[in-house]
């Protein structure tokens, strides 16, 4: 059995000790060879003196970066702005200017800002191609379902690359997928006349690493606190806990944004990291297609997704609403959160989610919360969907079209007639949520 795990190292050590080592060996018994084989494992023959000594590997003892400020730069993968830096000298001698994240982060962030999506550019080529096929061709090999699922994955690959894939399930009839006009996306599309995101006024924090929820200088934390204090809420820290779950769903969310200096693992970046739980799009018996939880429970106050659609001017929203009313289906959402209401009660924008809707329930398990990330205009929030309570496996995900107001203030329809009433040409579809407290209607 070999006593040395590193025989070459032991061999070098014996050579350096010279004669003293030889004298010591005579009193301690025979030594084994540093390199053993099956035929020489018990040999006591000393290695010849003319064997070449292994070359030593030189190791750098001093750090590459000596200046503490340089260490900070290296820790975040940057290049130092020091005038002695060879890269900086090479760039400047070639006529290029240098950028620093701390000094030029607003300029860098603006140059790499998300592209504004225009409603007129909503893709439809794939849908047109599928619609051109007859139903037998679309069903062959489950083609329509596979294409539909692949398109949803592609549409969200950039903004939530780690989200579990969404499956299409229909155990009710033979309709393979939702209508092909349905376009699943987390993007907000800007209609005619709606201003682009306001990046110039977007304020970011100067934190390094994850933001500290106890910070007294973080501008994002201060902005969140202003809205909490307006409602006399004494909550400490961000609106998220350490697990990324909402502490309260009655207030707008202000996440860190592209102008912030904090890292991606900051606890105030939740929505922008995308959905983390599996969901399905499933056909229901009475309510068409809906969104359902996957095989695992979704905890309360968890982010589910974006109520995505088109930003419309209020006038355009009114026009579309009249058309949708004729067949009793509408996904128009007026942006009239309490903190946006003015004395004239004028609504600026409406979101039309006709291409991607969710189902209503009088006893919802989710709620819509206004959220702001890369947008300084308070009139244009993201409509984020969070669970209000634990959502059981395979339970339908739904929210109330009435909002989260007092149920006593909402209209009740006590009739047992299943027919949808018509008033002034508008069809008022009966609510089919099946909840014990169902009001019978879906609209105010």
């Amino acid at each position: 059995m070999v006593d040395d795990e590193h025989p070459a190292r032991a061999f070098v050590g014996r050579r350096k000790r010279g004669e003293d080592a030889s004298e010591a060996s005579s009193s301690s018994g025979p030594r084994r060879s540093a390199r053993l084989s099956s035929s020489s494992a018990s040999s006591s023959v000393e290695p010849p003196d003319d064997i070449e000594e292994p070359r030593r590997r030189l190791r750098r003892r001093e750090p590459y970066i000596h200046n503490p400020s340089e260490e900070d730069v290296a820790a975040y993968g940057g290049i130092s702005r020091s005038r002695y830096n060879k890269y900086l000298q090479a760039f400047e001698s070639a006529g290029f200017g240098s950028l620093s994240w701390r000094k030029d982060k607003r300029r860098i962030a603006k140059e790499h800002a998300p592209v504004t999506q225009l409603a007129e550019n909503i893709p439809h080529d794939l849908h047109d191609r599928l619609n051109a096929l007859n139903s037998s061709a679309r069903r062959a090999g489950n083609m329509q379902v596979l294409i539909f699922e692949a398109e949803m994955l592609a549409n969200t690959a950039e903004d939530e690359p780690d989200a579990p894939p969404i499956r299409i399930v229909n155990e009710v009839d033979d309709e393979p997928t939702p209508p092909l006009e349905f376009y699943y996306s987390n993007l907000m599309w800007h209609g005619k006349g709606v201003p682009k995101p306001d990046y110039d006024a977007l304020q970011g924090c100067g934190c390094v690493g994850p933001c500290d929820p106890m910070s007294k200088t973080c501008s994002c934390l201060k902005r969140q606190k202003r809205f909490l204090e307006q409602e006399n809420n004494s909550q400490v820290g961000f609106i998220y806990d350490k697990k990324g779950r909402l502490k309260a769903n009655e207030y707008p969310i202000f996440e860190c944004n592209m102008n912030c200096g904090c890292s991606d693992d900051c606890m105030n970046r939740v929505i922008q990291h995308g959905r983390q739980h599996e969901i399905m799009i499933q056909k229901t018996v009475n309510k068409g297609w809906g969104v359902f939880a996957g095989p695992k429970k979704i905890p309360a106050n968890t982010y589910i997704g974006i109520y995505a659609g088109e930003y419309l001017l209020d006038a355009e929203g009114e026009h579309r609403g009249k058309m949708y009313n004729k067949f009793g289906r509408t996904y128009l959402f007026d942006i009239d959160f309490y903190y946006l209401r003015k004395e004239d009660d004028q609504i600026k924008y409406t979101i039309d989610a006709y291409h991607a809707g969710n189902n209503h329930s009088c006893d919802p398990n989710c709620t819509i919360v206004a959220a702001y990330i890369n947008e300084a205009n308070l009139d244009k929030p993201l409509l984020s969907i969070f669970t209000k309570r634990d959502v059981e496996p395979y339970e339908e995900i739904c929210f109330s079209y009435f909002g989260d107001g007092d149920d006593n203030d909402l209209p009740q329809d006590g009739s047992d007639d299943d027919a949808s009433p018509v008033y002034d040409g508008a069809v008022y579809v009966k609510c089919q949520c099946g909840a014990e407290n169902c009001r019978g209607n879906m609209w105010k």
Side-chain angles (χ1 to χ4, degrees):
M1 181 176 177
V2 182
D3 294 330
D4 281 320
E5 292 184 3
H6 306 284
R9 192 179 299 164
F11 172 68
V12 174
R14 285 198 295 272
R15 287 290 304 274
K16 293 180 72 173
R17 286 195 293 271
E19 296 298 328
D20 294 337
S22 299
E23 293 176 1
S25 66
S26 62
S27 60
S28 60
R31 291 183 297 177
R32 293 184 178 181
S33 170
R35 301 182 64 182
L36 303 180
S37 66
S38 59
S39 61
S40 62
S42 60
S43 173
S44 60
V45 179
E46 291 292 329
D49 292 337
D50 58 349
I51 293 181
E52 182 180 357
E53 184 174 324
R55 300 179 66 181
R56 293 187 176 184
R57 182 178 294 177
L58 298 178
R59 296 183 179 181
R60 189 182 183 98
R61 298 296 181 185
E62 297 180 354
Y64 285 91
I65 299 176
H66 308 281
N67 191 319
S69 62
E70 297 289 288
E71 292 178 2
D72 292 339
V73 174
Y76 290 93
I79 297 178
S80 167
R81 290 177 61 85
S82 168
R83 58 191 177 93
Y84 301 107
N85 184 278
K86 61 180 180 180
Y87 297 105
L88 186 61
Q89 292 177 351
F91 290 149
E92 291 181 345
S93 63
F96 295 99
S98 61
L99 296 176
S100 163
W101 174 249
R102 295 187 179 224
K103 178 182 177 182
D104 306 302
K105 63 182 180 182
R106 292 185 66 87
R107 171 186 167 186
I108 297 172
K110 189 173 181 179
E111 290 178 355
H112 294 83
V115 177
T116 302
Q117 305 293 336
L118 301 179
E120 61 187 27
N121 296 329
I122 294 179
H124 57 81
D125 182 64
L126 179 61
H127 306 148
D128 294 343
R129 289 174 179 269
L130 285 174
N131 276 322
L133 300 175
N134 59 49
S135 60
S136 298
R138 292 200 298 265
R139 287 178 168 83
N142 209 27
M143 180 183 69
Q144 182 169 326
V145 174
L146 296 176
I147 290 178
F148 209 97
E149 292 178 346
E151 185 192 34
M152 290 191 294
L153 189 63
N155 291 347
T156 58
E158 184 173 348
D159 47 84
E160 50 179 24
D162 300 323
I166 301 174
R167 295 188 300 115
I168 303 294
V169 178
N170 185 356
E171 298 175 348
V172 176
D173 54 32
D174 61 350
E175 186 181 12
T177 67
L180 295 177
E181 290 72 25
F182 177 94
Y183 185 81
Y184 188 93
S185 172
N186 292 324
L187 301 176
M188 297 304 301
W189 305 83
H190 290 63
K192 187 175 182 180
V194 178
K196 295 181 178 181
D198 187 356
Y199 297 143
D200 293 331
L202 186 63
Q203 184 180 8
C205 66
C207 303
V208 177
C211 292
D212 181 0
M214 304 303 292
S215 171
K216 295 183 178 179
T217 59
C218 177
S219 58
C220 296
L221 181 58
K222 289 181 178 179
R223 185 162 57 247
Q224 185 72 70
K225 282 185 175 180
R226 283 200 299 269
F227 279 83
L228 294 175
E229 290 171 354
Q230 288 176 8
E231 300 298 317
N232 298 318
N233 187 302
S234 58
Q235 178 179 294
V236 177
F238 290 107
I239 202 166
Y240 298 120
D241 63 17
K242 292 182 179 180
K243 293 184 178 181
R245 297 173 187 168
L246 275 183
K247 296 178 182 177
N249 57 32
E250 304 91 0
Y251 310 100
I253 299 170
F254 294 90
E255 288 199 359
C256 291
N257 55 64
M258 65 183 190
N259 285 340
C260 293
C262 59
S263 54
D264 284 344
D265 60 343
C266 172
M267 67 180 297
N268 196 36
R269 297 180 185 267
V270 173
I271 296 173
Q272 56 200 275
H273 287 324
R275 174 177 52 85
Q276 304 297 318
H277 295 269
E278 184 175 346
I279 60 174
M280 307 179 298
I281 295 177
Q282 184 172 331
K283 186 70 176 289
T284 65
V285 176
N286 298 319
K287 300 185 293 180
W289 292 88
V291 180
F292 287 72
K296 295 183 179 179
K297 178 189 292 186
I298 303 178
N301 303 311
T302 297
Y303 170 69
I304 294 294
I306 297 293
Y307 189 80
E310 300 178 55
Y311 284 122
L312 303 176
L313 295 178
D314 182 57
E316 176 63 19
E318 287 291 328
H319 174 67
R320 292 193 187 185
K322 292 178 180 179
M323 291 193 300
Y324 295 157
N325 285 344
K326 294 180 180 179
F327 54 92
R329 301 293 290 179
T330 180
Y331 297 105
L332 295 174
F333 190 107
D334 290 335
I335 303 178
D336 59 351
F337 293 99
Y338 71 91
Y339 60 90
L340 296 176
R341 293 172 187 163
K342 306 295 191 298
E343 293 183 0
D344 58 2
D345 202 28
Q346 179 66 35
I347 297 172
K348 286 188 177 182
Y349 306 113
T350 296
I351 290 179
D352 184 359
Y354 175 79
H355 296 283
N358 287 76
N359 276 335
H360 160 84
S361 174
C362 297
D363 184 21
N365 51 26
C366 292
T367 186
I368 289 183
V369 184
Y372 300 89
I373 304 177
N374 295 323
E375 174 62 87
N377 186 348
L378 291 181
D379 291 315
K380 292 171 54 190
L382 288 172
L383 302 184
S384 59
I385 304 174
F386 282 81
T387 57
K388 296 176 62 175
R389 57 170 174 79
D390 290 349
V391 179
E392 299 300 324
Y394 305 110
E395 180 182 355
E396 185 176 8
I397 293 172
C398 46
F399 54 86
S400 174
Y401 291 175
F402 289 102
D404 292 329
D406 187 354
D407 286 351
N408 295 326
D409 297 334
L410 298 175
Q412 305 286 329
D413 184 355
S415 67
D416 296 328
D417 187 4
D418 291 334
S420 298
V422 178
Y423 301 107
D424 296 328
V427 178
Y428 288 79
V429 177
K430 289 281 188 177
C431 180
Q432 302 285 344
C433 71
E436 292 183 1
N437 64 334
C438 180
R439 291 179 289 269
N441 52 10
M442 299 168 56
W443 319 106
K444 293 183 180 180

